[in-house]
């Protein structure tokens, strides 16, 4: 399977519009938005962590959807990407009586008691970006097919080293559902094509926890292993940290992964990262806002086959997810390289 080259100008227009419209500041775990404290008519967004610029881009789209729908958006999240603080936040949101919760999860299972309590209290819950297990959600917003992402990243790494050189993966946290699923597909791609990948094994998986400092030191440690010739960072935080280390060291090691064009442009322009992939983070948040709204209004229940309209993103369908639950898919990942990065770095 191959990634699609970026052609969707319609989506570009939506992104630019969303970015212009979305101008709210990010609240931290201790703050709540003005006017949102009463709970009713509030759609809450719980980030993996509030330090992550990617989360803020996703929230911009969610915020725009809420404003278009006419409800109050609320941004919450812990300082670091751990489930414990997310549980506290969920409990607060339930006590506050918000109308719906969209969460990007730091653990697949640990949030289940808190999230089922929310749903029992009549508050629809969806996950986005990084899923919770099917029992903890009504549905999940899937950015793109995890198989395409995982296989595509390893195929890219293979090409970058001409089929000769070890691959290292710099991930987010060890519990991140989305990264773990992508890594499974990366491993499957290598195992199923053993002859092709004979000289490009996956030699190490490191975890930078979506923390810039840890991601930097983990990259430095990977570089101690001279068999590693390419790093795949399926996280925007990891990619930026790895790019800086490689650039500083003028390393020959190549980098690919999932990065924000606005952050990764200098590394694509100087060849550190020949190309990378991502979807539109603003659109993910936007789709989450409209999906949550359809659940709150009872237009859908999160079951396979249901359809709804997600604002400018158009008609969407609830489909079966690989984990046995359901999901709503945004679309194909985009490829960013030296030809198009100049245009996209301005957008997200
Ligand atoms: C990071 C996060 C997020 C992931 C992106 C690609 O910011 O880990 O979950 O989807 O990267």
């Amino acid at each position: 399977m191959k990634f699609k080259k970026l052609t969707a100008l319609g989506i570009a227009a939506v992104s630019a519009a969303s970015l212009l419209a979305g101008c709210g500041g990010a609240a931290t775990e201790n703050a709540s938005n003005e006017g949102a404290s009463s709970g009713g008519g509030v759609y809450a967004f719980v980030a993996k962590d509030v330090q992550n610029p990617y989360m803020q881009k996703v929230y911009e789209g969610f915020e725009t959807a809420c404003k278009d729908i006419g409800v109050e958006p609320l941004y919450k999240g812990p300082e670091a990407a751990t489930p414990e603080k997310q549980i506290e936040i969920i409990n607060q949101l339930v006590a506050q009586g918000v109308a719906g919760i969209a969460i990007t999860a730091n653990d697949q299972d640990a949030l289940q008691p808190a999230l089922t309590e929310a749903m029992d209290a009549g508050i629809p819950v969806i996950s986005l970006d990084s899923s919770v297990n099917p029992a903890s959600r009504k549905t999940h917003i899937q950015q793109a097919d995890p198989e395409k992402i995982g296989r595509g990243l390893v195929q890219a790494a293979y090409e970058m080293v001409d089929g000769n050189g070890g691959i290292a993966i710099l991930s987010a946290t060890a519990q991140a559902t989305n990264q773990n699923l992508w890594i499974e597909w990366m491993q499957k791609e290598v195992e199923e094509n053993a002859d092709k990948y004979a000289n490009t094994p996956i030699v190490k998986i490191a975890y930078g926890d979506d923390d810039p400092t840890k991601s930097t030191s983990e990259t430095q440690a990977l570089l101690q292993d001279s068999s590693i010739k390419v790093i795949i960072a399926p996280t925007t935080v990891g990619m930026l940290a790895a790019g800086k280390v490689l650039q500083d060291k003028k390393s020959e090691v190549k980098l690919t992964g999932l990065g924000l064009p606005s952050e990764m442009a200098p590394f694509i322009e100087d060849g550190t990262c020949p190309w990378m992939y991502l979807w539109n983070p603003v659109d993910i948040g936007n789709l989450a806002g409209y999906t949550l709204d359809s659940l709150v209004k009872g237009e859908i229940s999160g079951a396979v086959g249901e359809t709804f309209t997600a604002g400018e993103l158009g008609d969407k369908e609830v489909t079966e997810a690989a984990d046995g639950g359901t999901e709503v898919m945004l679309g194909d990942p985009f490829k960013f390289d030296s030809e198009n990065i100049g245009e996209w770095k301005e957008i997200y």
Side-chain angles (χ1 to χ4, degrees), residues 48 52 54-55 104 129-130 143 172 178-179 182 210 234-237 258 278-279:
K48 273 177 149 181
N52 184 341
Y54 175 86
M55 289 286 124
T104 173
D129 181 61
S130 186
Q143 42 273 61
N178 50 344
Q179 271 88 16
W182 300 328
D210 273 351
T235 141
T236 56
V237 180
L258 305 172
L278 199 70
W279 40 86

Side-chain angles (χ1 to χ4, degrees), residues 170 207-208 211-223 241 245:
L170 174 67
Y207 297 93
D211 172 74
T213 309
K214 182 154 191 251
S215 303
T216 301
S217 57
E218 291 294 331
T219 307
Q220 284 159 345
L222 290 174
L223 295 182
V245 172

Side-chain angles (χ1 to χ4, degrees), residues 153 169-172 179 182-183 186 232-236 239 256-258:
L153 286 174
I169 299 168
L170 174 67
S171 191
Q179 271 88 16
W182 300 328
I183 292 170
M186 290 180 208
I232 300 174
T235 141
T236 56
M239 260 208 107
T256 190
L258 305 172

Side-chain angles (χ1 to χ4, degrees), residues 137-192:
R137 67 179 202 240
K138 296 286 181 192
T139 194
H140 173 67
I141 309 300
Q142 186 68 268
Q143 42 273 61
D145 183 350
E147 178 173 358
K148 280 191 194 173
I149 297 168
R151 288 191 192 272
L153 286 174
V154 170
Q155 288 159 3
Y158 176 94
E159 273 187 59
M160 286 176 193
V161 296
D162 288 328
N164 207 345
I167 300 172
I169 299 168
L170 174 67
S171 191
T173 66
Q175 291 80 28
T177 328
N178 50 344
Q179 271 88 16
N180 285 348
L181 190 57
W182 300 328
I183 292 170
E184 267 176 43
W185 281 111
M186 290 180 208
Q187 290 168 323
K188 217 173 251 185
E189 168 70 12
V190 171
E191 281 158 23
E192 288 174 1

Side-chain angles (χ1 to χ4, degrees), residues 108 131-134 137 140 177 320-327:
Q108 198 170 17
S131 65
V132 287
N133 65 30
R137 67 179 202 240
H140 173 67
T177 328
E320 201 179 332
D323 64 3
T326 69
E327 67 187 17

